[in-house]
Amino acid sequence: MSRVVGTVSRGLRAPIVKKGDDLAQIVVDTVTHAAKEAPFTIHDKDIVAITESIYARAQGNYASLDAVAKDIHQKFQSESIGVVFPINSRNRFYNILQAVARATKKVVIQLSYPADEVGNELISDEALVKSGVNPWTDTLSEAEFRSHFEEIKHKFTGVDYVALYRECVEKEGAECEIIFSNQAQAILDYTDAVLVSDIHTRFKTAQTVKEAGTKTVYRLDEILTQSVDGSGYNEEYGLLGTNLSGGNELKLFPRDSKSFVYDVQKRLLEATGKKIEVMVYGDGAFKDPVGHIWELADPVVSPGYTSGLEGTPNEVKLKYLADNEFSDLSGQALEDAITDYISQHDDVDRDGKNVSLGTTPRQITDLVGSLSDLTSGSGDKGTPIVYIQGYFDNLSNED
């Protein structure tokens, strides 16, 4: 009988992980137990994905806001700090902003508009067009911005992030000024100490303000790169990838993910006799079609993965083959021809045309991480470990 199931993604329920737990062994035990109970058969080249949050929790990679504030204060030594291009998020940035406010006397927040870097809208595109404001040239004060736009609320949460961020800073006893501009160098009209707060465009933003003549500039990934008074830290990503963990604490992106995934792979091989690929994943990389939010608020989808997950998929486009290479065939003859072609295909067809045209050239880790994030969710599913089978298979595989 021909195989009728392709890729399968399972969210595995796992124990609540605490600081100091042997997470690698918990992963192995969870996988092997699920395989017996579900049941399913473990194969070579299956994939185990572990959410970054439980790995960071097992590491105890947390930092108090006071530790963050101390590091910011020591680096800037300034009575005012400009925060450029933060994302609009209670979970991702509000607490970082609290720490900034504790580290200085005045905070100038420069917000991009109509939306932040990952698509959280302050205002709609329609409202922007009606206003006559040019987002590429116009720098607006908070009063000017509100005079043009009466409604500044997030589409899904209903939060006015301008008011929220002002309140955040002022609660910490610092003065707050908010401006709106898509030109990073606009901040220099207000302060010469700049905390670059965007994620994926941070290097460009930092270079822009440096060339414009800023005195002091740091990126979020340069804050808390080493422990402060015993705090957690991340030498590669600093404060990028942090999440709210309580009123006065941040959970940081996990450290040493590469060594962790190879430890898990080794233990799984010992327990099952199969070589399973392993990754740590955070936010997926996909865009919501309604809210236009690009999910990826972490610096990368996967901070650590085994070598079998490197590169991009080597796939062919079935529609292309059916419509071109084998357009004269149909039915079982067409299926047999395509199956044979897949099992021994080249990157181009006999006319020199790219047979992968139409397949999205994305990294395997981004694709698998996004699948894992969608499978596990971010709420109360209780499935921080995802087990994926058949991902590397194609139509020619029957086993």
Side-chain angles (χ1 to χ4, degrees), residues 208-322:
T208 298
V209 295
K210 284 178 182 178
E211 291 178 353
T214 187
K215 179 181 177 182
T216 306
V217 58
Y218 287 95
R219 305 183 307 266
L220 284 180
D221 59 327
E222 296 176 306
I223 307 297
L224 218 65
T225 55
Q226 56 186 359
S227 180
V228 174
D229 298 333
S231 73
Y233 64 96
N234 191 300
E235 60 276 281
E236 185 175 5
Y237 297 116
L239 291 182
L240 292 180
T242 60
N243 288 92
L244 174 66
S245 179
N248 198 46
E249 195 171 49
L250 290 174
K251 180 198 68 62
L252 306 178
F253 219 42
R255 306 187 306 270
D256 306 319
S257 295
K258 183 69 77 173
S259 60
F260 171 71
V261 295
Y262 279 105
D263 182 25
V264 174
Q265 185 180 60
K266 178 182 177 182
R267 296 196 201 191
L268 283 168
L269 180 61
E270 293 170 351
T272 68
K274 303 298 181 181
K275 187 175 181 181
I276 299 169
E277 302 300 336
V278 184
M279 73 181 299
V280 174
Y281 70 94
D283 275 347
F286 47 84
K287 187 173 182 178
D288 176 77
V290 176
H292 310 299
I293 300 169
W294 185 37
E295 177 71 7
L296 186 56
D298 287 325
V300 291
V301 172
S302 175
Y305 48 89
T306 51
S307 60
L309 296 172
E310 294 175 351
T312 58
N314 181 27
E315 300 175 339
V316 299
K317 195 71 171 177
L318 296 184
K319 290 186 295 184
Y320 175 87
L321 294 177

Side-chain angles (χ1 to χ4, degrees), residues 381-392:
K381 292 182 183 296
T383 55
I385 301 169
V386 176
Y387 198 80
I388 300 169
Q389 295 189 291
Y391 187 81
F392 294 104

Side-chain angles (χ1 to χ4, degrees), residues 83 85-95 97-98 101 107 109-111 116 120 122 142 159-171 176-178:
V83 176
F85 298 156
I87 64 172
N88 306 319
S89 172
R90 291 169 293 180
N91 179 47
R92 291 287 190 167
F93 196 76
Y94 183 92
N95 287 65
L97 187 58
Q98 279 184 282
V107 179
I109 305 172
Q110 180 174 331
L111 297 173
D116 68 14
N120 292 296
L122 287 174
E142 182 178 351
V159 172
D160 181 333
Y161 278 99
V162 179
L164 182 70
Y165 281 1
R166 171 174 289 282
E167 177 187 343
C168 173
V169 172
E170 292 177 345
K171 273 187 175 181
C176 182
E177 184 170 3
I178 300 177

Side-chain angles (χ1 to χ4, degrees), residues 169-190:
V169 172
E170 292 177 345
K171 273 187 175 181
E172 295 295 330
E175 182 184 351
C176 182
E177 184 170 3
I178 300 177
I179 64 170
F180 302 81
S181 178
N182 292 315
Q183 300 180 74
Q185 65 272 23
I187 196 66
L188 298 186
D189 291 335
Y190 303 84

Side-chain angles (χ1 to χ4, degrees), residues 30-49:
T30 298
V31 169
T32 54
H33 178 70
K36 292 177 183 177
E37 295 295 323
F40 56 85
T41 302
I42 294 173
H43 299 288
D44 288 318
K45 293 194 74 65
D46 286 352
I47 303 169
V48 173

